[in-house]
Amino acid sequence: MTCAVVAGIGGYVPPGVVTNEDLTKRFDTSDTWIRTRTGIATRHVVDPGAATSDLAVEAGRRALECAGATTADAVVLATSTPDHLCPATAPAVAARLSLGSVPAFDVGAVCSGFVYGLATAAGLITAGTAETVLLVAADAFTTMVDPRDRSTSVIFADGAGAVLLRAGDSQEAGAVGPVVLGSDGAGKEVLEVPAGGSRQRSSGVPPEPGDEYLKMRGREAYRHAVERMTTASRQALARVGWTPDDVHKLAAHQANARIIGTVAEELGIGQTQRLTNIEQVGNTVGASIPLLLAQAASEGRLVSGERVLLTTFGAGLAWGATTLTWPSLGEVPAPSAA
Ligand code: UT7
């Protein structure tokens, strides 16, 4: 059966670094609080004037190079921080990567953008619309974080991850398994940017101060994240016919180290099987999972033939999970700025 197969991967984080120590100069917080409550020590942030497409182009270029490819038949960009409200950012990414007049569009599923993007890209491949799809997940999410809000400022960060997907067979290594997706718009206020969209703009009234930034109900988001990532994981495992014992590596959205730990414990997935990079990069929203996979592959923590479970949750509310067996890839460079 035709399906989408991972042919290359790349990650990118911008050069700017914010440490916990830096945050203690801005907020009533501490390195100990941040590390114990979130697992984060450092995060990368875009320089003033930089945008999501700048991150996306670098990650996309690295995924193409890893696959030894110079073309793709389509570009899908998962982001919740497009360069502009209009147009979509994917066409600019395709143009900057010299990919020609290929179809290019954005997918908006916030932290679940990469998994939603996998389902979208796989659909383009199985429908015969494209033989190869460059899927990039990129967010300059710190541009949406309220600089006065300590609870979100300590968590969120910027980055990008990309995979080149090609048409292949479901039995091959790298084949993306059945993708489980879900949403609950009744919970949209758990993580929401109130202003900037058509609702506020049509009113003709300027936004309330701070409404252009993310508002997060942290405890509620935490509870939903554990429940949804665990349930979606079980569904994705059932769909592909694996048990938790079959999973070599868990690649969960890097929302909070405690969330990842609880989801893994609920699933019965041991410490050594959990991939994490939240300590170094924080919560990079849509980029989180491909950035994690790229980093793990570059460090040899993820090797060919390993069965990987991907699971995610975020604003929407939206969540998802899928599986893949890690392919044999070309060299995966570390997702650094250089
Ligand atoms: O990406 C997917 C979507 N996002 C998430 O999944 C995020 C999920 N939520 C979380 O990661 C956590 O809820 C947070 C890290 C945001 C907060 O951690 P928590 O352990 O849930 O803390 P809390 O919200 O229950 O707050 C405990 C206390 C509060 O003080 P009081 O009311 O008990 O006096 C907060 O004001 O911690 C306070 N607090 C902080 N203290 C020091 C909140 N942020 C900070 C901070 N430093 N940065």
Side-chain angles (χ1 to χ4, degrees), residues 24-328:
T24 62
K25 293 174 189 140
R26 285 171 45 201
F27 303 107
D28 178 14
T29 189
S30 67
D31 178 55
T32 305
W33 192 97
I34 301 169
R35 280 179 191 266
T36 54
R37 295 297 182 110
T38 71
I40 300 168
T42 57
R43 60 226 30 84
H44 290 260
V45 300
V46 289
D47 289 333
T52 293
S53 64
D54 303 326
L55 310 178
V57 165
E58 289 305 324
R61 191 189 319 280
R62 290 174 184 196
L64 288 165
E65 280 171 8
C66 174
T70 53
T71 62
D73 297 337
V75 174
V76 176
L77 175 66
T79 188
S80 51
T81 51
D83 290 8
H84 307 282
L85 271 181
C86 172
T89 304
V93 172
R96 287 173 61 186
L97 288 170
S98 305
L99 295 175
S101 54
V102 297
F105 58 94
D106 292 0
V107 166
V110 200
C111 294
S112 297
F114 180 69
V115 176
Y116 268 70
L118 278 177
T120 308
L124 290 173
I125 287 171
T126 55
T129 307
E131 278 277 318
T132 58
V133 179
L134 180 65
L135 167 63
V136 188
D139 274 302
F141 206 77
T142 60
T143 60
M144 290 223 287
V145 168
D146 189 335
R148 299 159 304 181
D149 181 355
R150 65 180 177 174
S151 73
T152 50
S153 293
V154 300
I155 297 176
F156 291 107
D158 304 328
V163 287
L164 184 70
L165 298 160
R166 62 167 173 82
D169 187 85
S170 58
Q171 299 308 312
E172 299 184 55
V176 177
V179 184
V180 170
L181 300 173
S183 77
D184 178 10
K188 79 178 181 66
E189 288 171 9
V190 173
L191 292 133
E192 186 184 41
V193 179
S198 57
R199 176 82 63 204
Q200 175 262 318
R201 290 158 77 93
S202 75
S203 73
V205 178
E208 292 291 322
D211 272 5
E212 70 276 35
Y213 293 124
L214 178 78
K215 313 272 185 202
M216 181 176 81
R217 296 187 199 153
R219 283 181 209 185
E220 277 182 73
Y222 192 107
R223 186 172 50 79
H224 283 291
V226 170
E227 188 186 316
R228 296 302 186 181
M229 286 206 276
T230 306
T231 304
S233 294
R234 290 200 174 111
Q235 291 168 341
L237 291 175
R239 292 273 301 277
V240 79
W242 298 355
T243 69
D245 286 345
D246 295 321
V247 175
H248 293 116
K249 294 287 156 61
L250 171 69
H253 168 49
Q254 303 289 289
N256 179 315
R258 290 184 298 142
I259 292 175
I260 301 162
T262 308
V263 170
E265 273 166 32
E266 297 264 329
L267 293 170
I269 292 177
Q271 196 83 39
T272 55
Q273 289 136 280
R274 304 170 197 172
L275 297 176
T276 64
N277 64 349
I278 191 169
E279 186 177 0
Q280 300 95 48
V281 302
N283 179 343
T284 55
V285 191
S288 172
I289 290 178
L291 194 52
L292 174 66
L293 295 174
Q295 184 168 341
S298 76
E299 293 169 355
R301 285 191 287 145
L302 185 55
V303 295
S304 172
E306 288 189 316
R307 288 184 292 270
V308 190
L309 170 64
L310 281 55
T311 185
T312 188
F313 165 85
L317 306 174
W319 56 88
T322 192
T323 51
L324 62 86
T325 303
W326 195 250
S328 175

